Amino acid sequence: MSQDRWNPSQYERFRAERRAPFDDLVALLRSCPAPRVVDLGCGTGDLTAELHEKLGARETLGIDSSARMLEKAHGHAGHGLSFEQGDLGTFAAGPWDIVFSNAAIQWVEDHPALLGRLTGLLAPGGQLAVQTPANFDHLSHALADAVAAEQPFAHAMSGFRREPPVLAPERYAELLFGLGFREQHVRLQVYPHVLESADAIVEWVKGTLLTAYEARLPAALFPAFVDRYRDRLREALGDPRPCFYPFKRILIWARR
Ligand SMILES: C[S@@+](CC[C@H](N)C(=O)[O-])C[C@H]1O[C@@H](n2cnc3c(N)ncnc32)[C@H](O)[C@@H]1O
């Protein structure tokens, strides 16, 4: 993204809802004494700190590209836990016993190449654990794309269209096999969220998906983009209360 639009407060409004996939991903890890862990796209570091403690890690490094998210993360540092600004699309330091990434690889292109590179960061017997949203065909995502194609937004973003890099679950399984992993677990899981109203979906995606548009639109135009998105979402969903928001995610675990 061209600018840092990550906002820790907005992102954490749905902290409870985001917890379950993190817990499910951690549950896939096999025990490993005092591992060295890297958490790619660690965000505010809250979950990195939990991971570090839960695994009894000797060392955990959190990497994130957003200075604003890392500002908060640095508060967790100490006792083997540290944070650095970096790009998970090019990160190359290693080896690690566990390469972990929760809800971040959807921001990076070319997942076959990414998985190959992350595999190269693993120590012998190392584990890869990745969770990625896969909700791009839900109205909440499709309507953001549709609004981006409307004027004046399309013109202001020079026709920018999001092209989600996330692959089908079985494709990740094939890639892991091709990379020589002897053990793997890949699954698609639907997380059922019951939100107060359709407007809560808007608040949710403002902290994630819409940051891609916010980074590319003039600041004065972004509120109009959000208003238009809200109207289209209400129109499409009929503004039910409560509003059921099914969210698909892919969980990937493998050991060499
Ligand atoms: C949805 S948040 C997830 C944060 C954390 N892993 C969690 O589970 O709460 C996605 C994070 O990925 C980071 N991110 C996006 N693109 C990145 C990149 N290319 N390299 C490193 N971090 C990136 C963002 O700054 C953001 O903090």
Coordinates of all heavy atoms in Angstrom, one line a residue, residues 1 4 6 11 18 22 39-44 47 63-66 69 86-89 101-104 106-108 207-208, ligand 1:
M1 N 0.8 -1.2 0.0 CA 0.0 0.0 0.0 C 0.9 1.2 0.0 O 2.0 1.3 0.5 CB -0.9 0.0 1.2 CG -2.2 -0.6 1.0 SD -3.3 -0.4 2.4 CE -2.6 -1.6 3.5
D4 N 0.6 4.3 5.2 CA 0.2 3.5 6.3 C -1.2 3.9 6.9 O -1.3 4.9 7.5 CB 1.3 3.7 7.4 CG 1.1 2.8 8.6 OD1 0.0 2.1 8.7 OD2 1.9 2.8 9.5
W6 N -3.1 1.7 8.6 CA -3.5 0.8 9.7 C -3.8 1.7 11.0 O -3.0 2.5 11.3 CB -2.5 -0.3 9.9 CG -2.6 -1.3 8.8 CD1 -1.9 -1.2 7.7 CD2 -3.5 -2.4 8.8 NE1 -2.2 -2.3 6.9 CE2 -3.2 -3.0 7.5 CE3 -4.4 -2.9 9.6 CZ2 -3.9 -4.1 7.1 CZ3 -5.1 -4.0 9.2 CH2 -4.9 -4.6 8.0
Y11 N -8.9 -1.3 14.3 CA -8.7 -2.8 14.1 C -9.1 -3.6 15.3 O -9.8 -4.6 15.2 CB -7.2 -3.0 13.8 CG -6.9 -4.5 13.6 CD1 -7.3 -5.1 12.5 CD2 -6.3 -5.3 14.6 CE1 -7.1 -6.5 12.3 CE2 -6.1 -6.6 14.5 CZ -6.5 -7.2 13.3 OH -6.3 -8.6 13.1
R18 N -12.0 -11.7 16.2 CA -10.8 -12.1 15.5 C -10.0 -13.2 16.3 O -9.0 -13.7 15.8 CB -9.9 -10.9 15.3 CG -10.5 -9.9 14.4 CD -9.5 -8.8 14.2 NE -10.0 -7.6 13.6 CZ -10.4 -7.4 12.4 NH1 -10.3 -8.4 11.5 NH2 -10.9 -6.3 12.0
F22 N -7.2 -17.1 15.5 CA -5.9 -17.2 16.1 C -5.7 -18.4 17.0 O -4.8 -19.2 16.9 CB -5.6 -15.9 16.9 CG -4.4 -16.0 17.8 CD1 -3.1 -15.8 17.3 CD2 -4.5 -16.2 19.1 CE1 -2.0 -15.8 18.1 CE2 -3.3 -16.3 20.0 CZ -2.1 -16.1 19.4
D39 N 6.6 -14.0 13.8 CA 5.2 -13.7 13.5 C 5.1 -12.6 12.5 O 5.5 -11.5 12.8 CB 4.5 -13.3 14.9 CG 3.0 -13.0 14.7 OD1 2.5 -13.3 13.6 OD2 2.4 -12.5 15.6
L40 N 4.8 -13.0 11.3 CA 4.8 -12.1 10.2 C 3.5 -11.4 10.0 O 2.4 -12.0 9.9 CB 5.1 -12.9 8.9 CG 6.5 -13.5 8.9 CD1 6.7 -14.5 7.7 CD2 7.6 -12.5 8.9
G41 N 3.5 -10.0 10.0 CA 2.3 -9.2 10.0 C 1.7 -9.3 11.4 O 0.5 -9.5 11.6
C42 N 2.5 -9.0 12.4 CA 2.1 -9.2 13.8 C 1.1 -8.1 14.3 O 0.6 -8.3 15.4 CB 3.4 -9.2 14.7 SG 4.3 -7.6 14.6
G43 N 0.9 -7.0 13.6 CA 0.0 -6.0 14.0 C 0.4 -5.4 15.3 O 1.6 -5.0 15.6
T44 N -0.5 -5.2 16.2 CA -0.3 -4.5 17.5 C 0.5 -5.4 18.5 O 0.9 -4.9 19.6 CB -1.6 -4.2 18.2 OG1 -2.3 -5.5 18.4 CG2 -2.5 -3.3 17.4
L47 N -1.3 -10.4 20.1 CA -1.4 -11.9 20.0 C 0.0 -12.5 19.9 O 0.2 -13.6 20.3 CB -2.3 -12.2 18.7 CG -3.7 -11.8 18.8 CD1 -4.5 -12.1 17.5 CD2 -4.4 -12.5 20.0
I63 N 7.1 -9.1 13.0 CA 7.4 -8.2 11.9 C 6.1 -7.6 11.4 O 5.1 -8.3 11.2 CB 8.1 -9.1 10.7 CG1 9.4 -9.7 11.2 CG2 8.2 -8.3 9.4 CD1 10.5 -8.7 11.3
D64 N 6.2 -6.3 11.2 CA 5.0 -5.7 10.6 C 5.5 -4.4 9.8 O 6.5 -3.8 10.1 CB 4.0 -5.2 11.6 CG 2.6 -5.1 11.1 OD1 2.3 -4.0 10.4 OD2 1.7 -6.0 11.2
S65 N 4.7 -4.1 8.7 CA 5.1 -3.0 7.9 C 4.6 -1.7 8.4 O 5.0 -0.6 8.0 CB 4.6 -3.2 6.4 OG 3.2 -3.5 6.4
S66 N 3.6 -1.7 9.3 CA 2.9 -0.5 9.8 C 3.6 0.0 11.0 O 3.5 -0.6 12.1 CB 1.5 -0.8 10.0 OG 0.9 0.2 10.8
M69 N 0.9 0.3 13.9 CA 0.6 -0.9 14.6 C 1.8 -1.3 15.5 O 1.6 -1.7 16.7 CB 0.4 -2.1 13.6 CG -0.8 -1.9 12.8 SD -2.4 -1.9 13.6 CE -3.1 -3.4 13.2
G86 N 9.1 -4.4 8.9 CA 9.6 -5.1 7.8 C 8.4 -5.6 6.9 O 7.3 -5.4 7.3
D87 N 8.8 -6.1 5.7 CA 7.8 -6.5 4.7 C 7.8 -8.0 4.7 O 8.8 -8.6 4.3 CB 8.2 -5.9 3.4 CG 7.2 -6.2 2.3 OD1 6.3 -7.0 2.5 OD2 7.4 -5.7 1.2
L88 N 6.6 -8.6 5.0 CA 6.6 -10.1 4.9 C 6.7 -10.6 3.5 O 7.0 -11.8 3.3 CB 5.3 -10.6 5.6 CG 3.9 -10.6 4.9 CD1 3.7 -11.8 4.2 CD2 2.8 -10.4 6.0
G89 N 6.5 -9.7 2.5 CA 6.7 -10.1 1.1 C 8.2 -10.3 0.7 O 8.4 -10.9 -0.3
S101 N 1.9 -16.7 10.9 CA 1.3 -15.5 10.3 C -0.2 -15.6 10.4 O -0.8 -16.4 9.8 CB 1.7 -15.3 8.8 OG 1.2 -14.1 8.3
N102 N -0.8 -14.6 11.1 CA -2.3 -14.6 11.3 C -2.9 -13.4 10.7 O -2.6 -12.3 11.1 CB -2.6 -14.6 12.8 CG -4.0 -14.8 13.1 OD1 -4.7 -15.7 12.6 ND2 -4.6 -13.9 13.9
A103 N -3.7 -13.7 9.6 CA -4.5 -12.7 9.0 C -3.6 -11.6 8.3 O -3.9 -10.4 8.5 CB -5.5 -12.1 9.9
A104 N -2.5 -11.9 7.7 CA -1.7 -10.9 7.1 C -1.3 -11.2 5.6 O -1.0 -10.3 4.8 CB -0.4 -10.7 7.9
Q106 N -2.8 -12.0 3.1 CA -3.7 -11.6 2.1 C -3.3 -10.2 1.5 O -3.8 -9.8 0.5 CB -5.2 -11.5 2.6 CG -5.5 -10.4 3.6 CD -5.1 -10.8 5.0 OE1 -4.4 -11.7 5.3 NE2 -5.6 -10.0 6.0
W107 N -2.4 -9.6 2.1 CA -1.9 -8.3 1.6 C -0.7 -8.4 0.7 O -0.1 -7.4 0.2 CB -1.5 -7.4 2.8 CG -2.7 -7.0 3.6 CD1 -3.0 -7.5 4.8 CD2 -3.7 -6.1 3.3 NE1 -4.2 -7.0 5.3 CE2 -4.6 -6.1 4.3 CE3 -3.9 -5.2 2.2 CZ2 -5.8 -5.3 4.3 CZ3 -5.1 -4.4 2.2 CH2 -6.0 -4.5 3.3
V108 N -0.2 -9.7 0.5 CA 1.0 -9.9 -0.3 C 0.6 -10.7 -1.6 O -0.1 -11.7 -1.5 CB 2.0 -10.7 0.6 CG1 3.2 -11.1 -0.3 CG2 2.5 -9.8 1.7
G207 N -11.4 -1.2 9.4 CA -10.1 -1.5 10.1 C -9.2 -2.4 9.2 O -8.1 -2.7 9.6
T208 N -9.8 -3.0 8.1 CA -9.0 -3.9 7.3 C -9.1 -3.6 5.8 O -8.3 -2.8 5.3 CB -9.4 -5.4 7.6 OG1 -10.8 -5.5 7.4 CG2 -9.0 -5.8 9.0
Ligands
LIG1 C1 -5.4 -7.9 9.9 S1 -3.9 -7.4 10.7 C2 -3.4 -8.8 11.6 C3 -2.5 -8.5 12.8 C4 -2.2 -9.6 13.7 N1 -1.5 -10.7 13.0 C5 -3.4 -10.1 14.4 O1 -3.8 -11.3 14.2 O2 -4.1 -9.4 15.1 C6 -2.8 -7.4 9.3 C7 -1.4 -6.8 9.6 O3 -0.6 -7.1 8.5 C8 0.3 -6.0 8.3 N2 0.8 -6.1 7.0 C9 0.1 -5.8 5.8 N3 1.0 -6.0 4.8 C10 2.2 -6.3 5.3 C11 3.4 -6.6 4.7 N4 3.6 -6.6 3.4 N5 4.5 -6.9 5.5 C12 4.3 -6.9 6.9 N6 3.1 -6.6 7.5 C13 2.1 -6.4 6.7 C14 -0.6 -4.8 8.6 O4 0.2 -3.7 9.0 C15 -1.4 -5.3 9.8 O5 -0.8 -5.0 11.0

